Structures are given as C-alpha cells and as structure tokens.
Amino acid sequence: GAGVSQTPSNKVTEKGKYVELRCDPISGHTALYWYRQSLGQGPEFLIYFQGTGAADDSGLPNDRFFAVRPEGSVSTLKIQRTERGDSAVYLCASSLTPPGALTDTQYFGPGTRLTVL
Amino acid sequence: DAKTTQPPSMDCAEGRAANLPCNHSTISGNEYVYWYRQIHSQGPQYIIHGLKNNETNEMASLIITEDRKSSTLILPHATLRDTAVYYCIVKSGNTPLVFGKGTRLSVIA
C-alpha cells in the first residue's frame, strides 16, 4: 500500500521567507511525528500528533515553527521568517498505534530537503 | 540523549552475515528495542523490534540478551543494498524515537 508521502521533495527559499511542508501519512494512521535531520546527524524530534491535537511539541526549536493537522490526517509544518540554520531534511512519520499503547512502530516518508539561502 | 551505544562503523563482505551490536544498559522494563536503517538520501526504514524474546522477520533477526542490556541485529546474507546507517533505539509507548549516531555498515563486494 501507499506509504508516507511528503511534498515538496526539495524546497529552496530565501532567508526571512515563510515555508510550508506537507505530510500525507499512511491511511488510517492516527499518530503523526515530525523530525528534522541536519547533515551528518540522526533525526531529531519536533512534534507529535495524536489525531488532530499536538500531544507533544517539546521538540519545536522556537516559536517560528508551527504544525497543524486539522482533520487528523494530512499535516503541515510551517516555518516563519526562515533562517539559514533551518536548512535540513524534514521527515514525517506515522503510526497506527492508539494512545496508551505499549509501543508504536513509526513509518517514515522520504523527507523534504529545505535549503535557506 | 540516546540511551544506546553502537560502534560508529562496520564492514561486511557481501553474502556474509552482518552482526550489528548495540548496548542499552539503562533500558527500562517497559522499553522495547527498535532497529531502523537509513540508506543515503532516504527516510529511515523500520527493520524490527522486540521486548525480550528474539525476533525474526523477512529483513533481519534481533537477538536480545537475557538481562536486556544489549542486543544484536543480524542481517543473514548482506547485499550491497544493505549499506546504510543502522540505528538502535529503545522506547516505550507513543513516544518519539531518539536517534543516536548509529552504525554505518558498508557491505563490500
């Protein structure tokens, strides 16, 4: 079946601009995670949604970063006033597991490579 | 911070078994051991996970020691396409994955 998809695959923007990155999770997956991966590093957690609500946003680096998931499916990560340090690959993952489960298996999309000039 | 320790790199001859070790001496009773891999320029790929019993699927086997303080991921017949960074992660519940630096496995022809 279809996996997690992310658009665009690449995004180049100028410092100070606003960007939106989209994630389409696997159909029926209630949990959705955003991660960011800088060059040579492992992915780092940003935010976790269970359904429509953000269950954990402790990884967002500052208030320029915001994410929504209004209908509990597609999610958009929004970055305001982009800075060169925001350049990274932004990864989305989804899982089927409901809240309170003993564990969950996350499946990742291919990522969006963001370059801020 | 990641709760696991892995060697930074390993080599394996094509067709041979690749055995990737991971130490997780502070693992809690309700934490599972997960393995993911990341092939260059792709998103992480789920491989396998386990709690205390050994597990096997079509991709790999996971051997967890009885005290659960370490584990080994086994790729029984490594191919060139298995060249990737392999991450060992411990987690429980609906929590984020905490990635360390992983092991860079190079499969050599």
Side-chain angles (χ1 to χ4, degrees), chain A residues 35 37 48 102-104 106, chain B residues 34 36 38 91 93-94 97:
Chain A
Y35 295 82
Q37 186 170 25
Y48 155 52
L102 295 178
T103 191
D104 71 338
Q106 298 172 30
Chain B
Y34 273 81
Y36 280 79
Q38 191 168 25
K91 75 183 288 301
N94 300 92
L97 294 160

Side-chain angles (χ1 to χ4, degrees), chain B:
Chain B
D1 288 345
K3 295 180 63 176
T4 61
T5 304
Q6 300 177 252
S9 63
M10 292 181 64
D11 292 339
C12 177
E14 189 178 21
R16 304 297 294 268
N19 296 279
L20 292 90
C22 180
N23 287 322
H24 31 80
S25 58
T26 61
I27 191 170
S28 301
N30 62 346
E31 288 182 314
Y32 285 69
V33 180
Y34 273 81
W35 284 83
Y36 280 79
R37 73 180 182 184
Q38 191 168 25
I39 295 169
H40 184 61
S41 297
Q42 297 183 21
Q45 178 188 22
Y46 166 76
I47 302 173
I48 199 168
H49 74 282
L51 184 62
K52 49 186 175 182
N53 296 324
N54 297 337
E55 302 288 344
T56 296
N57 63 21
E58 65 278 5
M59 289 183 69
S61 294
L62 173 60
I63 309 298
I64 303 174
T65 57
E66 192 168 343
D67 64 7
R68 302 211 322 125
K69 292 185 177 182
S70 66
S71 60
T72 301
L73 179 74
I74 302 172
L75 307 178
H77 305 287
T79 71
L80 298 178
R81 288 176 293 182
D82 292 322
T83 292
V85 178
Y86 286 76
Y87 295 99
C88 169
I89 299 166
V90 296
K91 75 183 288 301
S92 64
N94 300 92
T95 56
L97 294 160
V98 179
F99 290 82
K101 295 185 182 300
T103 295
R104 183 173 298 278
L105 175 68
S106 297
V107 180
I108 303 165

Side-chain angles (χ1 to χ4, degrees), chain A residues 9-90:
Chain A
S9 55
N10 281 283
K11 176 70 177 178
V12 180
T13 191
E14 294 179 342
K15 180 176 177 294
K17 299 290 188 182
Y18 168 81
V19 297
E20 290 189 350
L21 311 177
R22 175 186 168 110
C23 172
D24 278 87
I26 294 171
S27 178
H29 280 199
T30 56
L32 186 147
Y33 297 79
W34 283 99
Y35 295 82
R36 177 169 74 171
Q37 186 170 25
S38 300
L39 194 61
Q41 305 295 318
E44 294 180 316
F45 167 72
L46 295 176
I47 186 169
Y48 155 52
F49 287 89
Q50 186 64 246
T52 61
D56 182 355
D57 64 357
S58 61
L60 294 177
N62 52 60
D63 61 5
R64 295 186 297 105
F65 288 76
F66 189 70
V68 295
R69 196 185 183 201
E71 298 178 356
S73 179
V74 170
S75 177
T76 304
L77 179 66
K78 307 181 181 192
I79 310 174
Q80 298 177 320
R81 304 183 304 279
T82 52
E83 300 178 356
R84 293 194 179 89
D86 298 335
S87 295
V89 175
Y90 289 81

